[in-house]
Amino acid sequence: MSTATLAPPAVENVSPPPAKRRKKGWGYHAVMAPLALLWIAPMVFVLVLAFRSFDDIAARGTAAWPASFSLDGFSEAFGRGAMGRSLWTSIQVTVPAVLFSLLLASWAAYALSRFDIPGRRAILLTMLAGNLLPPQILLIPVSRVMESLGIYDTLVALVTIHVGFGLGFYTFVLHGFMRSIPSELTEAARIDGAGPVQIYARIIMPLCRPSLAALGALATTWIFNDLIWAITVLRTEAKLPVTAALLNLQGGYVSNWNVVAAASVIAAIPTAIVFFAFQRHFVSGLLMGSSK
């Protein structure tokens, strides 16, 4: 005599009704919309202020709705304010600093993640621990080192500082990403006769593009917006980057709010372009490999 076994009824995944989902969506937007407006309000205020004339601001105040729009603030910032020169100086510092930082960090992360180096975990943690030191306690020692090397008050000193202080964090992020790459890929390439340099250039680096893009955007923002190291190792006014020049401009144009606002917009444009160009890689590239 045979017995039939009855399978338990399948439980269907019942989604919440549309009315409940709609209510949840309205609650989310009701909370986030005011926060978003509060976040962008200062940026909109500075942008509108930059396009107002000095006479309009002096007559009606900074908080009044503009009666007319003018480009006098931008022309003054680029002319007597020398923001164009400072912007070019920041680009001269940011581009090589980002490139050298990511190149050296990729070498270090490749070696620490793919080779059996004694104490590699201690090396990685030591490099990362350097970023935990507040820069204020290192201002005098670093400036003395730059003087002893003969590169004080040069852009080379500023590039060197940014590369040195960013190397530990970039190596840590790239190390986590490279560890997530299956070792079978490199073993297969090694069997086919590829050396360490070929594996690095043809396999590891192409797979690290999302993480490199995210770190590139982050490093560009950090280096371009730096102020403390710029005013520490640079003394010549003509060599100051855009952030230090903006600080000096604020002191010279303390009552010309349109010029100061226009200079702030000019200083913010390059990093905004870089961030929006790499925004889809920004979060995903930093999180890849973190779960392994």
Side-chain angles (χ1 to χ4, degrees):
M1 182 177 179
S2 61
T3 60
T5 303
L6 297 179
V11 179
E12 297 182 358
N13 187 12
V14 181
S15 59
K20 188 175 181 180
R21 291 200 305 267
R22 194 180 303 114
K23 183 179 180 181
K24 183 178 179 180
W26 277 110
Y28 173 79
H29 290 294
V31 174
M32 296 306 297
L35 293 178
L37 292 176
L38 185 64
W39 181 265
I40 66 174
M43 293 181 285
V44 174
F45 174 76
V46 172
L47 187 62
V48 173
L49 195 64
F51 285 96
R52 295 178 63 183
S53 63
F54 174 76
D55 295 334
D56 184 21
I57 297 174
R60 307 175 69 246
T62 58
W65 187 256
S68 62
F69 291 93
S70 173
L71 296 177
D72 294 341
F74 289 93
S75 60
E76 184 71 17
F78 270 113
R80 294 176 58 188
M83 288 299 293
R85 180 189 63 196
S86 302
L87 189 64
W88 173 241
T89 301
S90 293
I91 294 174
Q92 288 180 296
V93 172
T94 303
V95 172
V98 172
L99 293 179
F100 278 115
S101 297
L102 296 183
L103 178 64
L104 296 177
S106 64
W107 290 352
Y110 174 64
L112 293 173
S113 63
R114 294 294 162 176
F115 296 95
D116 190 13
I117 300 176
R120 57 181 180 179
R121 184 179 180 84
I123 295 174
L124 184 63
L125 293 178
T126 302
M127 295 178 65
L128 183 62
N131 294 99
L132 302 179
L133 294 174
Q136 290 81 3
I137 67 174
L138 299 174
L139 296 181
I140 296 178
V142 170
S143 63
R144 297 303 183 194
V145 170
M146 295 299 115
E147 289 178 358
S148 63
L149 294 176
I151 58 175
Y152 187 77
D153 196 23
T154 63
L155 299 184
V156 176
L158 197 55
V159 172
T160 303
I161 289 173
H162 286 305
V163 172
F165 279 93
L167 189 60
F169 176 74
Y170 306 146
T171 302
F172 178 77
V173 175
L174 289 175
H175 175 268
F177 185 85
M178 289 182 184
R179 285 191 60 191
S180 67
I181 299 176
S183 59
E184 289 80 5
L185 293 176
T186 56
E187 290 297 333
R190 190 175 293 109
I191 292 174
D192 291 338
V197 177
Q198 292 176 318
I199 294 175
Y200 166 82
R202 297 184 179 182
I203 297 178
I204 301 298
M205 291 305 292
L207 293 176
C208 288
R209 285 177 182 174
S211 187
L212 288 172
L215 285 177
L218 193 63
T220 300
T221 303
W222 284 347
I223 297 172
F224 192 89
N225 293 330
D226 169 69
L227 175 62
I228 187 171
W229 290 117
I231 63 178
T232 299
V233 301
L234 298 178
R235 286 292 178 264
T236 306
E237 186 175 354
K239 298 178 182 180
L240 294 178
V242 67
T243 50
L246 181 61
L247 184 64
N248 291 341
L249 186 73
Q250 185 178 0
Y253 292 85
V254 63
S255 60
N256 294 40
W257 289 101
N258 59 330
V259 178
V260 177
S264 301
V265 172
I266 294 171
I269 287 176
T271 52
I273 292 175
V274 171
F275 178 78
F276 285 114
F278 295 100
Q279 62 174 339
R280 66 190 184 96
H281 299 294
F282 190 75
V283 177
S284 61
L286 290 178
L287 294 180
M288 281 184 176
S290 61
S291 61
K292 184 168 181 177

